[in-house]
Amino acid sequence: MKSEAGPNERVCEAVMKYLGCECTRFEPMEDDAPIVEAYHRAREEGARAGFVPLLVKADSVLWECLKVNTCPEHRVRGGFSFDAESLAEYRRHALSAPLQDGRLFLEELADCRRRWAAAACQDWEKDVLGEMKGGEADNFFIGCWDLFSGRTFPLILAKIPVKHPWEVFAWLPFGGWNSCPDTPRLMAAARYWFEQYGAVPAVVTRDTLEFELAAPAPEERAMELAVEQYGLCPDLNQGEGGAIGKLADGLRQSTVWHFWWD
């Protein structure tokens, strides 16, 4: 369902050129079934052909983030140009550099959140974790949707030419701002979660990231996983006290993980 029209035409064209791989455009629609079906077909094809599909919502904020991360000299220039040589070198380095232990990295982040709680005079078990209850199953991509229009965003389905799911962040480095981790840290966490749960990055927007799994995380590991996710994305701890327990209860039922950084 490729189209030449759309409000973000120039941004989409720039992002697809930046990606440098086979891409398919999807214009806004009221039913995301064709998008999800195309993504899952690409997952099956990628397992044979050696690529990892990713749904990307391209906009000007994401575009600037990509340029800043890989072609910083183009930041002040604006527009839709980028340095292809700098981009290729960034990718080569990101894909060849050794990754830190994802489990240890996530534990370090969780320890940081515990210190935050202590500094705020919060009880970690009661005020932050709480009981594992009240969560809901999340089995759909919500990052694809414009909640104001009730339609999907203009999207790109990119066939990223990497061998492993966590390597998509070397190709599309959207992190490294505010509390969103940078490329090597996102890759380390994503590798660990893939090895532990089979989680695969599926959707990227300017400020959100979604993973898809074949089956929910085991109930006995759901609280541990929720703490890891809170460490990576502190914005998950919102609402009433015990929000992480509610997150854990949702994770034991869900095949989609959703992250959002402010």
Side-chain angles (χ1 to χ4, degrees):
M1 189 163 297
K2 190 178 293 185
S3 174
E4 297 300 325
N8 298 313
E9 179 69 27
R10 295 190 66 190
V11 175
C12 286
E13 289 179 354
V15 170
M16 288 191 292
K17 185 176 181 180
Y18 177 101
L19 287 167
C21 62
E22 181 181 342
C23 295
T24 302
R25 287 275 302 279
F26 290 90
E27 295 304 324
M29 56 184 68
E30 295 180 354
D31 181 359
D32 67 352
I35 299 170
V36 175
E37 289 170 6
Y39 170 76
H40 287 143
R41 285 197 304 271
R43 282 280 302 273
E44 294 177 0
E45 180 188 354
R48 299 188 301 270
F51 65 82
V52 178
L54 192 66
L55 288 166
V56 181
K57 182 220 166 188
D59 63 21
S60 59
V61 175
L62 176 63
W63 172 241
E64 289 303 318
C65 179
L66 297 177
K67 288 201 299 179
V68 167
N69 281 335
T70 59
C71 313
E73 69 278 6
H74 279 239
R75 180 177 185 177
V76 297
R77 301 183 192 179
F80 300 98
S81 64
F82 62 92
D83 188 311
E85 186 174 333
S86 296
L87 174 58
E89 177 57 30
Y90 180 94
R91 288 171 174 164
R92 281 193 296 269
H93 176 74
L95 292 172
S96 62
L99 294 180
Q100 68 184 112
D101 186 303
R103 180 181 63 82
L104 294 179
F105 166 57
L106 292 167
E107 286 181 355
E108 291 171 1
L109 291 178
D111 286 341
C112 178
R113 308 307 174 226
R114 291 186 183 92
R115 292 193 294 272
W116 283 7
C121 299
Q122 292 180 317
D123 182 279
W124 176 256
E125 296 291 335
K126 179 181 177 181
D127 299 327
V128 179
L129 300 187
E131 297 182 53
M132 196 169 74
K133 65 179 183 179
E136 297 180 355
D138 187 354
N139 300 312
F140 303 96
F141 298 141
I142 63 174
C144 296
W145 284 93
D146 181 349
L147 299 182
F148 294 100
S149 70
R151 306 172 75 196
T152 58
F153 289 114
L155 294 168
I156 299 167
L157 174 58
K159 297 180 178 180
I160 308 293
V162 294
K163 295 180 180 179
H164 307 294
W166 59 87
E167 293 174 335
V168 297
F169 300 113
W171 218 258
L172 190 81
F174 87 114
W177 46 271
N178 293 351
S179 62
C180 183
D182 60 14
T183 295
R185 292 175 176 84
L186 280 174
M187 288 175 66
R191 181 179 67 176
Y192 176 70
W193 284 335
F194 176 76
E195 292 171 347
Q196 295 295 310
Y197 304 102
V200 174
V203 180
V204 168
T205 77
R206 67 164 75 179
D207 55 7
T208 64
L209 167 63
E210 290 179 315
F211 289 77
E212 187 178 48
L213 303 82
E219 183 173 354
E220 63 271 17
R221 297 193 64 185
M223 185 65 83
E224 169 193 345
L225 174 61
V227 171
E228 292 173 351
Q229 293 195 3
Y230 170 46
L232 190 78
C233 182
D235 287 308
L236 292 175
N237 185 23
Q238 295 186 354
E240 300 178 356
I244 302 309
K246 183 176 181 179
L247 172 63
D249 193 44
L251 291 173
R252 71 175 181 83
Q253 308 173 64
S254 300
T255 56
V256 173
W257 297 348
H258 180 76
F259 297 88
W260 169 78
W261 291 269
D262 194 359

